[in-house]
Amino acid sequence: MSRTDPTTAPFGTWVSPITPDLVATAMVDLLDVQIDGGDVYWIEGRPQEAGRHVLVRHQADGSNADVLQASYSARTRVHEYGGAASIVAGGTSYFSNFSDQRLYRQGRSGNASPEPLTPAGLRYADGRIDSARNLWIGVREDHLDSGREAINTIVALRLDSQGPGAVLAQGHDFYASPRLSPDGRRLAWLAWNHPDMPWVGTQLWVGDFTGAGVENASQVAGGPGESVFQPEWAPDGVLHFVSDRSGWWNIHRLDASGTAVNLCPRQAEFGRPQWKLGMSTYAFLSAKEVVCTYVEGGFGALALLDLDSGALKAFDLPFTEFSSVRAQGGKVAFVAGAAAAASAVVVLDPRTGQATPIRKATGVADQPAINRHLSIPLPIEFGTPHGHKAFALFYPPRNADFRAPEGELPPLLVRCHGGPTSSAARTLDMRTQFWTSRGIAVVDVDYGGSAGYGRAYRERLHHAWGIVDAEDCAAAVRHLCERKLVDPDRVVISGSSAGGFTVLSCLTSAHSSLRRLFKAGGSHYGVSDPQALARDTHKFESRYLDWLIAPQTWQERSPVHNADALEAPVAFFQGAEDKIVPPSQTEEMVAALRRKGITAQYLLFAGEQHGFRQRQTIRWALEAEFYFFETLVFRAGPRSKGSA
C-alpha cells in the first residue's frame, strides 16, 4: 500500500498494525527511580513476566541489568497501591517482595539469594537507610490480626538481625515519607487520619531521632484543609515540603522561626495526589537549587528553582509529563514522556540541559511503521452545566494508510481516568493509539475533581462523585458533537476503578438526556455499589467515600441501585484477586443488567488484582472491549457532518 494513496474506508474499520498483542507486549511500567553512587536504578512492571516488578540498574557500560532473581518481585502492598518498594544504598538493595511482603536484602552482585529481614504478615515501604546506625527506617503496615483494621506505623529495622522493627511513630491511621536529616539527628514524616485522604488533609511532623526512638515530636505544618506532600531536607539541614495552603501545591521552606515560606508562589501544581508512596516531584542539587517538576495549564514541565530568589527556569525538553525526580552528585534522573513519546527513564545534566533516555517503556513508537499512525492529542476546554470550565485531551482518528469517506464523522470513545483524584495521562499510551488508528476518536476527560488544576478544582468533586464527573464527561461529548468532530450516534464510554464508577453513573443517570449520549459502556474493575465498597474495601480508601459521597446518599448515587435506568449494554472486566474493588461489586451489576435483559459481557481474570498487569489479560481485555463496541455500536450507520 502506497503511503501517498491511502485507502478510503469508514471510520472504525481501518486496519492497524497497533494490535492488542503489540500493546500488551509494549507496555512496561517505569517506576521509582533512584540514584546510588552514580548508578541509576528503577523498577519495571513487566506484563510479559506475569506483571512481575523488577529492580533494574543502569551500568557504567550503558547496559541495563536486572538486580533481582526471577523468582522475586519488588512490589509492596502498603496502602494496597504500594510504591517505594525498594531502596538502594552503597550498592545493596532492600526491597519488599510481592508474594510474601517481607523485606529482603540483595547484594550488588545478585549471585546469592536475597536475605529476608522481616517476618511474614507485615508489609514495608518507603524506606531510607541510616548507614551510621545500620538501620532501615520506613513505613510498616501490620496485617497480623485479620479481625481488625491494619495498623500503620513508622519503624526502624536493624540491618544486622531479623525482626519486625522498633516503632518510632504511631497513633495516626496512616504514615508516609519518613526522612532523616543530613546530620541524622531529626526525623520528619507525614501522617493523616480517617476520613481524610493525603490530598485532602495531612500533617507534617518533626522529632529528635536518637536511633532508638523519636523524642520531642511536634506538628510543624498541615492539618484540616491543607495537603502536605514530600518533605525533604536540604543539604544544609533546612526542611522543605510541598503544601497547597495557597490553593496550589507549591514548594515551601520551614524557616528558623518555624514559619512556612512559599519559595515560588505560582498557580501551578508542584505536588501530586499521593496514591502511591515515595512519589517525588523535586530533588536538591545543592542547598540553593532544586530541580522540580510542576503542572501548569494541565501540562508538565521540569525546571531549575533558585531557592533564594524564587526564579524558576524551565528546561527545554520534549516531554509533557514527569515523575520520580531524583538528584545526586550533580546528576538528575526521572521518568518522563510526551504525547508521541513513550515513558522513559531519563538522565539529565542540569548544567547543559542535555537529556538522555536510558530505558524506554517501549521502542514500538520509534518504529516508522508505527509512528506514522500516532494521534497527537489536542487540549480542549469546555463549559459545564454549572458555569464551570472542564478540560480534556481529544485524540482525533489517525492512520496514514486510511482516510474516511468525505463528510463522515468518527465514532467517539470517552475515557474516564481513575482515582477519581487523578488525571488524564499526558504521555504516549498505546491503548489509546489502538483505538485512534482504527478510526475511533478518543477524548480523555479531566472532569472536576482531577489533579493538576489546583485545590478548588479537586474539591468540585466533594460530595458530588457520580454527578460532577458524569456531567463533565457529557459536556465533553456535547462540545465535540456541536463542533461536528464526532458522530453523536456512535459514542461509547470506558473507565477503570473510579473511572468505571463514572461510566456506570453516566449510564444510570436520572437525566435521560445525559445517559442517552452513550450507546455502550466498558467498566474495568469499576465501583458499582458505594455502600458495598465502604464495607469491603481496604483501609486506605475505606473512608474516602465519606468525602466523595455523603453517606446518606450512597444508595441513591449507586449504579447497582439505579440499574432500572440502564438502556445501554456494558462490558465488565474484573481481576479475581482485587481487594480494592472486589469481584462481588461487578457481579452485582452484571446480574442487574441480565435481569433487565440488557447485554452484559463479563470477563473475570485469574491472578489479577486492581489494575491488569499480565500480558494475556491486557491483550484479551483490549480485544474484547473493541469487539463489544464494534459489534453493538461502531457498525451502526455513520453520520456525516451535514446531518450531525
Side-chain angles (χ1 to χ4, degrees):
M1 181 180 298
S2 169
R3 293 188 181 183
T4 59
D5 187 23
T7 298
T8 300
F11 287 118
T13 67
W14 299 352
V15 178
S16 170
I18 304 174
T19 64
D21 192 57
L22 181 143
V23 172
T25 302
M27 287 177 59
V28 173
D29 284 334
L30 300 174
L31 312 161
D32 294 342
V33 171
Q34 302 176 55
I35 304 176
D36 176 62
D39 291 333
V40 179
Y41 293 77
W42 63 91
I43 289 177
E44 295 185 6
R46 297 174 179 170
Q48 64 271 29
E49 295 184 33
R52 187 168 80 99
H53 281 51
V54 185
L55 183 63
V56 180
R57 180 177 67 247
H58 182 66
Q59 304 184 115
D61 64 1
S63 64
N64 300 324
D66 292 356
V67 174
L68 305 185
Q69 299 175 10
S71 58
Y72 293 88
S73 178
R75 181 176 156 217
T76 179
R77 290 183 60 187
V78 173
H79 298 174
E80 288 300 333
Y81 292 102
S86 72
I87 183 69
V88 184
T92 299
S93 306
Y94 304 85
F95 69 95
S96 292
N97 184 46
F98 180 69
S99 62
D100 59 11
Q101 289 298 291
R102 299 173 74 184
L103 192 70
Y104 285 78
R105 174 168 47 204
Q106 172 74 64
R108 181 181 175 88
S109 68
N111 294 327
S113 295
E115 174 190 1
L117 298 174
T118 60
L122 301 168
R123 303 175 183 179
Y124 297 85
D126 206 2
R128 290 292 186 271
I129 301 300
D130 181 356
S131 300
R133 299 183 180 97
N134 202 29
L135 298 175
W136 178 97
I137 301 170
V139 177
R140 186 182 75 188
E141 192 170 78
D142 180 348
H143 289 259
L144 291 173
D145 185 350
S146 60
R148 55 148 169 79
E149 188 175 65
I151 298 173
N152 293 69
T153 53
I154 293 176
V155 300
L157 300 169
R158 292 205 59 81
L159 297 177
D160 54 8
S161 62
Q162 293 190 16
V167 174
L168 302 179
Q170 62 183 329
H172 292 281
D173 291 321
F174 301 99
Y175 290 91
S177 307
R179 300 294 182 259
L180 194 62
S181 62
D183 61 8
R185 297 172 59 185
R186 289 175 293 168
L187 186 70
W189 66 89
L190 296 178
W192 66 97
N193 295 308
H194 290 309
D196 284 341
M197 298 300 283
W199 48 87
V200 175
T202 43
Q203 303 168 17
L204 175 59
W205 287 74
V206 177
D208 298 327
F209 184 53
T210 66
V214 174
E215 300 175 349
N216 305 316
S218 63
Q219 182 182 334
V220 298
E226 179 182 357
S227 171
V228 179
F229 172 87
Q230 195 192 343
E232 299 282 0
W233 299 92
D236 60 0
V238 176
L239 184 60
H240 291 65
F241 57 93
V242 175
S243 168
D244 69 352
R245 60 179 59 194
S246 70
W248 297 83
W249 271 314
N250 285 180
I251 299 176
H252 291 68
R253 174 177 60 220
L254 201 67
D255 69 14
S257 68
T259 301
V261 179
N262 191 338
L263 300 176
C264 184
R266 196 178 182 99
Q267 290 191 353
E269 299 279 61
F270 291 80
R272 305 286 187 274
Q274 195 169 209
W275 281 102
K276 293 187 176 184
L277 294 165
M279 299 171 69
S280 176
T281 60
Y282 70 97
F284 288 94
L285 288 176
S286 69
K288 301 296 184 182
E289 289 181 312
V290 299
V291 171
C292 57
T293 179
Y294 59 93
V295 175
E296 193 168 43
F299 288 87
L302 190 79
L304 187 67
L305 173 62
D306 184 298
L307 297 176
D308 286 337
S309 69
L312 190 69
K313 182 180 180 181
F315 293 100
D316 183 14
L317 299 172
F319 307 116
T320 55
E321 190 165 80
F322 300 83
S323 63
S324 202
V325 179
R326 309 290 183 187
Q328 189 182 102
K331 178 186 293 184
V332 180
F334 48 86
V335 176
S343 292
V345 178
V346 180
V347 173
L348 171 74
D349 183 334
R351 300 310 169 196
T352 66
Q354 181 177 354
T356 305
I358 59 174
R359 172 65 164 111
K360 293 184 178 181
T362 175
V364 168
D366 296 332
Q367 300 173 11
I370 301 298
N371 185 271
R372 59 198 293 264
H373 302 300
L374 298 182
S375 175
I376 306 301
L378 306 171
I380 61 173
E381 182 178 316
F382 48 92
T384 69
H386 301 291
H388 296 288
K389 293 287 186 181
F391 309 90
L393 296 177
F394 176 63
Y395 294 81
R398 185 177 181 220
N399 186 314
D401 295 331
F402 289 89
R403 65 185 172 200
E406 183 68 28
E408 183 186 338
L409 295 172
L412 174 66
L413 169 65
V414 179
R415 294 188 68 173
C416 312
H417 64 70
T421 310
S422 186
S423 58
R426 264 65 178 172
T427 191
L428 179 68
D429 186 338
M430 295 306 294
R431 289 167 295 189
T432 299
Q433 303 299 328
F434 168 87
W435 297 95
T436 57
S437 63
R438 282 164 174 73
I440 314 298
V442 174
V443 63
D444 208 340
V445 184
D446 271 342
Y447 47 78
S450 301
Y453 305 92
R455 186 177 182 107
Y457 195 79
R458 295 199 308 275
E459 291 186 337
R460 282 187 56 206
L461 211 57
H462 183 44
H463 285 174
W465 192 32
I467 298 175
V468 165
D469 47 328
E471 290 175 344
D472 288 1
C473 286
V477 173
R478 294 190 182 104
H479 174 85
L480 295 170
C481 290
E482 288 168 1
R483 283 152 183 77
K484 297 182 171 54
L485 295 173
V486 298
D487 183 348
D489 292 329
R490 293 189 290 172
V491 177
V492 298
I493 185 169
S494 180
S496 58
S497 190
F501 177 80
T502 300
V503 168
L504 298 174
S505 296
C506 287
L507 299 179
T508 59
S509 172
H511 303 288
S512 60
S513 60
L514 189 159
R515 69 174 182 267
R516 288 172 182 166
L517 287 173
F518 307 100
K519 312 309 177 186
S523 173
H524 297 248
Y525 39 93
V527 177
S528 62
D529 186 348
Q531 201 162 7
L533 181 70
R535 181 186 67 237
D536 298 334
T537 197
H538 60 119
K539 178 184 176 182
F540 181 61
E541 288 186 275
S542 62
R543 299 288 300 279
Y544 189 19
L545 280 171
D546 295 359
W547 190 90
L548 290 168
I549 305 174
Q552 63 269 24
T553 66
W554 281 356
Q555 183 161 326
E556 70 183 63
R557 204 78 62 81
S558 172
V560 74
H561 291 295
N562 295 318
D564 285 345
L566 272 168
E567 301 174 27
V570 186
F572 295 89
F573 307 89
Q574 177 69 44
E577 300 175 11
D578 193 337
K579 302 298 184 185
I580 296 171
V581 179
S584 58
Q585 285 265 307
T586 293
E587 288 160 4
E588 285 184 40
M589 200 68 193
V590 171
L593 266 75
R594 289 176 175 168
R595 284 195 298 270
K596 283 201 68 180
I598 296 175
T599 300
Q601 173 180 272
Y602 179 37
L603 278 72
L604 181 67
F605 297 102
E608 292 285 9
Q609 295 89 42
H610 196 70
F612 299 151
R613 294 174 174 85
Q614 300 180 39
R615 174 181 172 180
Q616 287 286 67
T617 303
I618 295 166
R619 180 175 70 82
W620 287 338
L622 187 57
E623 192 170 61
E625 187 169 43
F626 175 77
Y627 284 114
F628 185 81
F629 290 153
E630 181 196 42
T631 301
L632 297 176
V633 179
F634 296 159
R635 287 182 183 174
R639 262 175 98 167
S640 67
K641 293 179 182 178
S643 61

